[in-house]
Amino acid sequence: MSNNSKTPLDDVLEFIHSKKDKSIGDSIVSTIYQNAETISKSVTTVDDKRKVKWDEKIDNILTSKITGYPIMLLLLGIIFWITIEGANYPSQLLSDFFFSLEDKITGIFNYMNAPDWLHGILVLGIYRTLGWVVSVMLPPMAIFFPMFTLLEDLGYLPRVAFNLDNMFRKSGTHGKQALTMSMGFGCNAAGVIACRIIDSPRERLIAIITNNFVPCNGRFPILISLSMIFIGGIVASQYSSLLASLSIVFMVLIGIYVTLIVSKILSKTILKGVPSSFTLELPPYRKPQIGSILVRSLLDRTIFVLGRAVIVAAPAGAVTWLVANITIGDVSILNHVAGFLNPFGELLGLDGFILMAFILGLPANEIVLPILIMSYMSKGAMLELESLDSLKNLLLNNGWNIITAINFMLFSLLHFPCATTLLTIRKETNSTKWALFTFLLTTSVAIIVTFIINSLANLIGIF
């Protein structure tokens, strides 16, 4: 057959074969935009008298392969640092307020001669749980969300997506997943909602399922406390904070790495498909609208997420109090279940009380550590130790070592989402199946990782 007999289809096939190492979709979209730009320049005249085009100069820095990533990590690091540091004081104020109010409510119950079980369920169970959730979650969210919205309003977040697009594309997903993942640092439920920005249903579902692998505000207190006690304590006191901070950053990077691996596996198995083209026209930088930022971050995100957490945490507080106070043969239900789970927990370098704390902490990650403390001290209501030294002694007296601490942090990082996030997944996917699948997948990952770490530690003899 001569070249003269080639059909248009042959030309297309030849073009595809010539681009076998590149994305055909990207080539087509790039060609369309290049042609559109050429046509636009030929028929329009832009009266731009600016001597310096700052947008282009800033973009050359923020989206550069050399400077883009360091700047991105630096900005996120600053936001985390401000969130963690800034949330401590208001969290303490809220905690003091709620616990001082608890004394007054208890006084009212005593004045009314209310039965102990009613006071236990309503005050020590429900009220104290709500106090924990609000005092721990509200300040970080009230700081993190406005700062994140500020970056969004400035027009920086599309640059982040542009920088990370290639990394997520190699995992078979979409560059916008980087944005939803970043939202998950504040709250995984908010991160799941943010997945609406991804147009492809397949890629949106992958982003929803894997969002839990980045730590939310509820898990940061666990990571910070244990890193200060067990990892920061390895070195001299003047370097302990630095080492503890680096260990938290390392945990965050593990979460991102697991996100990419699981996304890759999902895109090659049950959610097969070709990554869609990421055509992102970088918007111009804008002057932030403070009023709009406060409304979107506080009302649409902070109050919305906190409201869901409160709805779930209230009944959880009652259940926690009941299982810790109802006894069978002089042993509480909590201790019975912890004893049953203990052999499995030891395989993961944990114990039955730790697994029980994670199970009872399903409504909100913030209550996992208080439940564990309550279990170790055999108290019937959630409480807080006065200092990290007291917590360290309590954990060491219950058989903890460095492997227990590392696996506790890893299990906290990778385990099932909280109930608020699971409900959000169900709502966003219109399916209980995907919420259940996410629960099983993330829990399996947490079990596999901690089992491997514990087995290696046993093999090497690290204790």
Side-chain angles (χ1 to χ4, degrees), residues 298-315:
L298 296 181
L299 295 183
D300 295 350
R301 292 172 178 168
T302 304
I303 301 301
F304 175 75
V305 173
L306 185 65
R308 284 193 176 188
V310 166
I311 291 172
V312 174

Side-chain angles (χ1 to χ4, degrees), residues 185-203:
F185 283 116
C187 173
N188 293 127
V192 168
I193 293 173
C195 293
R196 294 174 184 175
I197 64 174
I198 301 176
D199 297 324
S200 161
R202 182 190 72 85
E203 292 165 345

Side-chain angles (χ1 to χ4, degrees), residues 284-352:
Y285 294 99
R286 301 182 297 267
K287 183 180 179 182
Q289 304 295 320
I290 301 302
S292 173
I293 290 174
L294 292 177
V295 169
R296 278 190 290 147
S297 60
L298 296 181
L299 295 183
D300 295 350
R301 292 172 178 168
T302 304
I303 301 301
F304 175 75
V305 173
L306 185 65
R308 284 193 176 188
V310 166
I311 291 172
V312 174
V319 172
T320 303
W321 187 88
L322 288 172
V323 297
N325 285 274
I326 296 177
T327 59
I328 301 176
D330 294 332
V331 179
S332 68
I333 295 176
L334 180 68
N335 287 334
H336 275 297
V337 178
F340 174 76
L341 293 173
N342 197 58
F344 183 64
E346 289 180 345
L347 288 175
L348 309 181
L350 307 172
D351 63 32

Side-chain angles (χ1 to χ4, degrees), residues 80-379:
F80 291 147
W81 182 80
I82 294 175
T83 301
I84 293 171
E85 289 290 321
N88 286 335
Y89 185 66
S91 283
Q92 187 61 49
L93 286 179
L94 284 172
S95 178
D96 293 342
F97 169 75
F98 281 112
F99 280 90
S100 64
L101 196 60
E102 179 187 312
D103 294 337
K104 292 182 172 57
I105 297 174
T106 298
I108 295 173
F109 272 72
N110 292 335
Y111 177 77
M112 297 173 63
N113 290 321
D116 290 342
W117 63 265
L118 185 61
H119 173 261
I121 292 177
L122 295 181
V123 179
L124 302 181
I126 294 177
Y127 176 82
R128 190 170 286 189
T129 304
L130 292 179
W132 261 93
V133 171
V134 173
S135 60
V136 173
M137 287 184 68
L138 179 58
M141 285 196 297
I143 297 172
F144 180 84
F145 282 141
M147 287 195 295
F148 199 84
T149 309
L150 175 63
L151 292 182
E152 189 179 42
D153 217 44
L154 284 169
Y156 178 66
L157 295 191
R159 275 80 182 174
V160 173
F162 180 85
N163 289 338
L164 295 179
D165 176 53
N166 188 47
M167 191 183 296
F168 279 96
R169 182 185 296 277
K170 289 180 179 177
S171 298
T173 58
H174 199 283
K176 288 182 181 177
Q177 188 174 340
L179 301 179
T180 64
M181 185 185 68
S182 299
M183 289 295 291
F185 283 116
C187 173
N188 293 127
V192 168
I193 293 173
C195 293
R196 294 174 184 175
I197 64 174
I198 301 176
D199 297 324
S200 161
R202 182 190 72 85
E203 292 165 345
R204 182 167 61 247
L205 191 52
I206 292 176
I208 288 174
I209 293 171
T210 58
N211 190 272
N212 185 64
F213 291 128
V214 290
C216 63
N217 280 331
R219 286 178 283 175
F220 269 118
I222 293 176
L223 299 179
I224 293 170
S225 300
L226 295 183
S227 63
M228 287 291 290
I229 291 174
F230 286 95
I231 299 178
I234 295 175
V235 297
S237 58
Q238 61 266 35
Y239 304 113
S240 62
S241 296
L242 177 61
L243 185 60
S245 300
L246 291 176
S247 69
I248 296 172
V249 172
F250 186 63
M251 283 288 165
V252 171
L253 292 177
I254 289 176
I256 295 173
Y257 191 59
V258 172
T259 298
L260 294 170
I261 292 176
V262 174
S263 296
K264 179 80 171 179
I265 293 172
L266 289 174
S267 68
K268 294 293 183 183
T269 54
I270 61 173
L271 292 172
K272 281 184 179 178
V274 178
S276 58
S277 296
F278 184 24
T279 307
L280 178 63
E281 187 173 350
L282 294 178
Y285 294 99
R286 301 182 297 267
K287 183 180 179 182
Q289 304 295 320
I290 301 302
S292 173
I293 290 174
L294 292 177
V295 169
R296 278 190 290 147
S297 60
L298 296 181
L299 295 183
D300 295 350
R301 292 172 178 168
T302 304
I303 301 301
F304 175 75
V305 173
L306 185 65
R308 284 193 176 188
V310 166
I311 291 172
V312 174
V319 172
T320 303
W321 187 88
L322 288 172
V323 297
N325 285 274
I326 296 177
T327 59
I328 301 176
D330 294 332
V331 179
S332 68
I333 295 176
L334 180 68
N335 287 334
H336 275 297
V337 178
F340 174 76
L341 293 173
N342 197 58
F344 183 64
E346 289 180 345
L347 288 175
L348 309 181
L350 307 172
D351 63 32
F353 284 107
I354 295 175
L355 294 184
M356 192 65 195
F358 278 112
I359 293 171
L360 291 175
L362 172 66
N365 289 302
E366 292 78 5
I367 61 177
V368 170
L369 197 55
I371 291 174
L372 181 62
I373 296 170
M374 173 192 70
S375 304
Y376 281 151
M377 298 186 72
S378 300
K379 300 291 184 182

Side-chain angles (χ1 to χ4, degrees), residues 328-463:
I328 301 176
D330 294 332
V331 179
S332 68
I333 295 176
L334 180 68
N335 287 334
H336 275 297
V337 178
F340 174 76
L341 293 173
N342 197 58
F344 183 64
E346 289 180 345
L347 288 175
L348 309 181
L350 307 172
D351 63 32
F353 284 107
I354 295 175
L355 294 184
M356 192 65 195
F358 278 112
I359 293 171
L360 291 175
L362 172 66
N365 289 302
E366 292 78 5
I367 61 177
V368 170
L369 197 55
I371 291 174
L372 181 62
I373 296 170
M374 173 192 70
S375 304
Y376 281 151
M377 298 186 72
S378 300
K379 300 291 184 182
M382 289 190 296
L383 45 82
E384 184 179 17
L385 294 180
E386 293 178 354
S387 68
L388 286 179
D389 287 337
S390 302
L391 178 58
K392 180 180 181 179
N393 291 332
L394 177 68
L395 299 179
L396 291 176
N397 291 336
N398 281 276
W400 278 52
N401 53 45
I402 185 67
I403 298 301
T404 314
I406 291 174
N407 277 358
F408 188 91
M409 294 167 72
L410 286 170
F411 201 89
S412 175
L413 176 72
L414 305 173
H415 79 300
F416 48 80
C418 69
T420 306
T421 304
L422 288 172
L423 289 174
T424 306
I425 293 173
R426 180 181 177 277
K427 183 177 180 182
E428 293 298 311
T429 61
N430 291 318
S431 169
T432 303
K433 178 184 72 175
W434 289 115
L436 182 61
F437 176 79
T438 304
F439 180 95
L440 296 175
L441 175 68
T442 51
T443 306
S444 300
V445 171
I447 290 173
I448 291 170
V449 170
T450 51
F451 176 75
I452 291 174
I453 296 293
N454 189 51
S455 298
L456 289 174
N458 281 323
L459 188 64
I460 300 173
I462 303 177
F463 283 109

